[in-house]
Amino acid sequence: MLDTCFRSDMVAEITMQPVRRYGVDAAILFSDIVVPLRAVGVDVEIVAGVGPVVAHPIRNRADLDQLRSLDESDVASVLDAVDGLTGAGGELGATPLIGFAGAPFTLASYLVEGGPSRDHVHTKALMHSDPQLWSELCARLADIAGEFLRLQVMHGASAVQLFDSWAGALSRRDYERHVLPHSRACFDRVGDLGVPMIHFGVGTGELLGSMSSAGCDVVGVDFRVDLADAITRLGTDFAVQGNLDPALLFASSDALDHAVRRVLESGREAKGHIFNLGHGVLPETNPDALARVVELVHAARVD
Amino acid sequence: MLDTCFRSDMVAEITMQPVRRYGVDAAILFSDIVVPLRAVGVDVEIVAGVGPVVAHPIRNRADLDQLRSLDESDVASVLDAVDGLTGAGGELGATPLIGFAGAPFTLASYLVEGGPSRDHVHTKALMHSDPQLWSELCARLADIAGEFLRLQVMHGASAVQLFDSWAGALSRRDYERHVLPHSRACFDRVGDLGVPMIHFGVGTGELLGSMSSAGCDVVGVDFRVDLADAITRLGTDFAVQGNLDPALLFASSDALDHAVRRVLESGREAKGHIFNLGHGVLPETNPDALARVVELVHAARVD
């Protein structure tokens, strides 16, 4: 999986597949949360049935000293794919490409835990026991992820998405104190390029207001929060992205239609709305259900 | 594990261990979410490293017809333990026992999925595709869980806790429409007995207001929600339970002390506060950290 994320032909091909098959309005770069870590030489593998596994977790200053910054040459193959897709004669044509990177907290959690974690015990212990080291780790990760996003835009991406998978494991207080400044630093590295910036996390009902202050233009909303509630909370300065529950793709077509229409209706109240699932596509999803959703969304656009 | 939950000597012993070791102010019945299912003859096992596995998932009316109601004799051994602990000469003495049962939605999720699930795909598909069948399933589970709690109180429990592990997987809208009435039916079966009723779920920031309307007296707050925010949201009619992040037990003692004090301070604003973790104790927790927390909480009580 991770090797694939560094093969420009595969990145281009997999990025194009949903565009070809469903005619969606934008492509998102095929990548993985931990790509920027592998790019700077971290020994990380995606183990089947487990997720990303880091050989040498970072838990003290000596570990942190090993973490270097990201250089264009580290992600040359990824940027080749971006060039090819978005350049003159590229297969994407007028379809915009959304760049992608994992956010500092989620990257830090993988690095500190050494793998996926439900409870983030070592991560939170470090955050609270040595806030200085934690802050330096996240600052370095913000640098790495921010630079990765910046390079994607400079090579042709029309928007970026900063993906904080695990932010929902934190209370608002801890998020604001120990994470938000670093997500903001990430966006700061891209802000002057003038592309729309999307911020997404999972289980972030408590955090939407805080996440929106990181400098993004669009706030992704997971399926647990009613989109209408999210829009009320965020106010009129933000577009929203989301938030059909991916489990609804397994329901009857009547139930699915109804749910899609509700999301679309709620979205009309926001400054802007990128229709999307409220988290990733689940492995056993019937592709026909996805096609049906795209059709409904496109039909509503003409209404 | 499940067999142990039906051995009265083991239930009594394990229920007492934290009371003996830490001198906590109440015991909670040693049990498991799926005990009421096993009690009514559902073929369910707790598989190591997986969780509860149900041999024949319930996905249609014929399946549902197999699910019978719970009778006192089904949980005789559990009630023997309650009798022994709380009766005259019982080891608990004046320490109150909190009864325990899994809530209808969480029970339904195990039954419909056939095991633990991150995405609750089959459960949500049934809820949305056949709301009538869903409602009948949950009504029956409310009956089973409610009766189990009622019997625990009649045998000596001084309070009950209805535990909805998976409620946080739902949006508020779905929760209110498809789950809340059944949790309410559960509490209704116990309400006339006059004991305090606690309602706890995980990841329920969006749902606290809805859950509080199920008829409980105490709302459990998981660690993701700042306790002060929860109290503001719930108003002055409810006591709260929670909500130290169990990961903080792995932090330095300074960080732990600080976090415990914040929870205690926030809790003072509520009608009442049961200090607790904001979810279960994690397996690798150092018992000394737990002892330290109990000590801090007890010291604060005298302040």
Side-chain angles (χ1 to χ4, degrees):
Chain A
M1 164 75 190
L2 264 187
D3 292 341
T4 309
C5 293
F6 285 91
R7 278 189 49 190
S8 55
D9 56 338
M10 292 297 280
V11 171
E13 168 60 22
I14 303 174
T15 299
M16 281 312 300
Q17 284 183 356
V19 181
R20 279 188 221 128
R21 179 162 193 164
Y22 300 112
V24 289
D25 303 316
I28 184 145
L29 183 74
F30 171 74
S31 190
D32 185 88
I33 298 278
V34 297
V35 159
L37 299 181
R38 164 76 74 93
V40 298
V42 172
D43 183 350
V44 54
E45 287 294 344
I46 298 185
V47 177
V50 177
V53 173
V54 173
H56 309 288
I58 292 187
R59 298 196 185 156
N60 56 45
R61 184 159 303 275
D63 298 333
L64 176 58
D65 288 342
Q66 304 296 311
L67 190 65
R68 66 169 175 84
S69 50
L70 183 139
D71 188 80
E72 180 153 4
S73 62
D74 296 320
V75 287
S77 58
V78 178
L79 300 174
D80 279 351
V82 175
D83 285 334
L85 286 165
T86 62
E91 193 181 345
L92 269 173
T95 303
L97 176 69
I98 304 172
F100 176 90
F105 174 69
T106 293
L107 293 174
S109 175
Y110 283 118
L111 277 177
V112 175
E113 301 293 335
S117 164
R118 211 180 60 163
D119 303 307
H120 310 279
V121 161
H122 299 292
T123 311
K124 289 177 177 179
L126 179 64
M127 176 189 288
H128 289 278
S129 307
D130 193 343
Q132 180 60 33
L133 184 64
W134 169 260
S135 171
E136 290 177 39
L137 168 61
C138 287
R140 205 164 299 187
L141 291 168
D143 228 44
I144 291 170
E147 180 65 12
F148 186 38
L149 286 177
R150 184 173 182 86
L151 288 165
Q152 292 175 48
V153 174
M154 292 176 71
H155 282 258
S158 305
V160 295
Q161 178 156 189
L162 189 67
F163 205 94
D164 212 350
S165 314
W166 301 127
L170 296 169
S171 70
R172 183 169 56 78
R173 186 187 171 89
D174 285 346
Y175 178 82
E176 288 183 356
R177 182 170 301 185
H178 298 292
V179 174
L180 176 59
H182 308 292
S183 298
R184 190 178 283 136
C186 227
F187 283 121
D188 278 350
R189 268 191 105 104
V190 189
D192 64 307
L193 300 178
V195 299
M197 302 194 287
I198 307 165
H199 200 184
F200 179 72
V202 183
T204 53
E206 298 296 309
L207 307 180
L208 284 177
S210 314
M211 290 178 73
S212 72
S213 73
C216 58
D217 309 288
V218 183
V219 180
V221 180
D222 101 337
F223 62 87
R224 291 168 184 85
V225 185
D226 279 309
L227 195 60
D229 291 347
I231 293 166
T232 305
R233 255 174 253 173
L234 289 166
T236 51
D237 285 346
F238 297 93
V240 292
Q241 175 184 288
N243 77 341
L244 183 73
D245 188 338
L248 263 299
L249 294 163
F250 295 76
S252 67
S253 56
D254 275 2
L256 176 60
D257 287 14
H258 180 74
V260 169
R261 290 210 178 84
R262 276 201 58 245
V263 170
L264 286 167
E265 256 164 53
S266 301
R268 287 206 183 90
E269 303 301 317
K271 186 185 182 186
H273 178 208
I274 302 171
F275 185 98
N276 199 4
L277 302 187
H279 197 185
V281 176
L282 299 168
E284 291 170 33
T285 303
N286 181 347
D288 294 342
L290 286 171
R292 172 86 189 136
V293 169
V294 173
E295 193 181 299
L296 284 167
V297 174
H298 282 170
R301 199 170 41 181
V302 194
D303 272 351
Chain B
M1 164 74 190
L2 264 186
D3 292 341
T4 309
C5 293
F6 284 91
R7 278 187 51 189
S8 53
D9 57 337
M10 292 296 281
V11 171
E13 168 60 23
I14 303 174
T15 298
M16 281 311 301
Q17 284 183 356
V19 181
R20 279 188 221 128
R21 180 163 193 162
Y22 300 112
V24 289
D25 303 316
I28 185 147
L29 182 73
F30 171 74
S31 191
D32 184 87
I33 298 279
V34 297
V35 160
L37 300 181
R38 163 75 74 92
V40 299
V42 171
D43 183 350
V44 53
E45 287 293 345
I46 297 184
V47 177
V50 178
V53 173
V54 173
H56 309 289
I58 291 187
R59 296 194 187 159
N60 56 44
R61 185 158 301 275
D63 298 334
L64 176 57
D65 287 343
Q66 304 296 312
L67 190 66
R68 65 169 176 83
S69 50
L70 182 138
D71 188 80
E72 180 154 1
S73 62
D74 296 322
V75 287
S77 58
V78 177
L79 300 173
D80 278 352
V82 175
D83 285 334
L85 285 166
T86 61
E91 192 181 344
L92 269 173
T95 303
L97 176 69
I98 304 172
F100 176 90
F105 174 70
T106 294
L107 293 174
S109 175
Y110 283 118
L111 277 177
V112 175
E113 301 294 334
S117 164
R118 209 181 60 164
D119 304 307
H120 310 279
V121 162
H122 299 291
T123 311
K124 289 179 177 179
L126 178 64
M127 174 189 287
H128 288 277
S129 307
D130 193 343
Q132 180 60 32
L133 184 65
W134 170 259
S135 171
E136 291 178 38
L137 168 62
C138 287
R140 206 164 298 188
L141 291 168
D143 230 44
I144 290 169
E147 180 65 13
F148 187 37
L149 287 177
R150 183 173 184 85
L151 288 164
Q152 292 176 46
V153 174
M154 292 176 72
H155 282 259
S158 304
V160 295
Q161 178 155 191
L162 189 67
F163 204 94
D164 212 350
S165 316
W166 302 126
L170 297 168
S171 70
R172 184 170 55 81
R173 186 187 171 89
D174 285 346
Y175 178 82
E176 289 184 354
R177 183 170 300 188
H178 298 292
V179 174
L180 176 59
H182 307 292
S183 298
R184 190 179 283 137
C186 228
F187 283 120
D188 278 350
R189 268 190 105 104
V190 190
D192 64 308
L193 300 178
V195 300
M197 302 194 289
I198 308 166
H199 201 185
F200 179 73
V202 183
T204 53
E206 297 296 308
L207 306 179
L208 284 179
S210 314
M211 289 178 74
S212 71
S213 73
C216 57
D217 309 289
V218 184
V219 180
V221 180
D222 100 337
F223 62 86
R224 292 169 184 84
V225 185
D226 279 309
L227 195 60
D229 291 346
I231 293 167
T232 305
R233 255 175 253 174
L234 289 166
T236 50
D237 285 346
F238 295 93
V240 292
Q241 175 185 287
N243 76 342
L244 183 74
D245 189 337
L248 263 299
L249 294 163
F250 296 76
S252 67
S253 57
D254 276 1
L256 176 59
D257 287 13
H258 180 76
V260 169
R261 291 212 177 83
R262 277 201 57 246
V263 171
L264 286 167
E265 256 164 52
S266 301
R268 289 206 181 91
E269 304 302 317
K271 186 186 181 185
H273 178 208
I274 301 171
F275 186 98
N276 199 4
L277 303 187
H279 197 185
V281 176
L282 299 168
E284 290 169 36
T285 303
N286 181 348
D288 295 342
L290 286 170
R292 173 88 188 133
V293 169
V294 173
E295 193 182 299
L296 284 167
V297 174
H298 282 169
R301 200 169 42 179
V302 193
D303 272 352

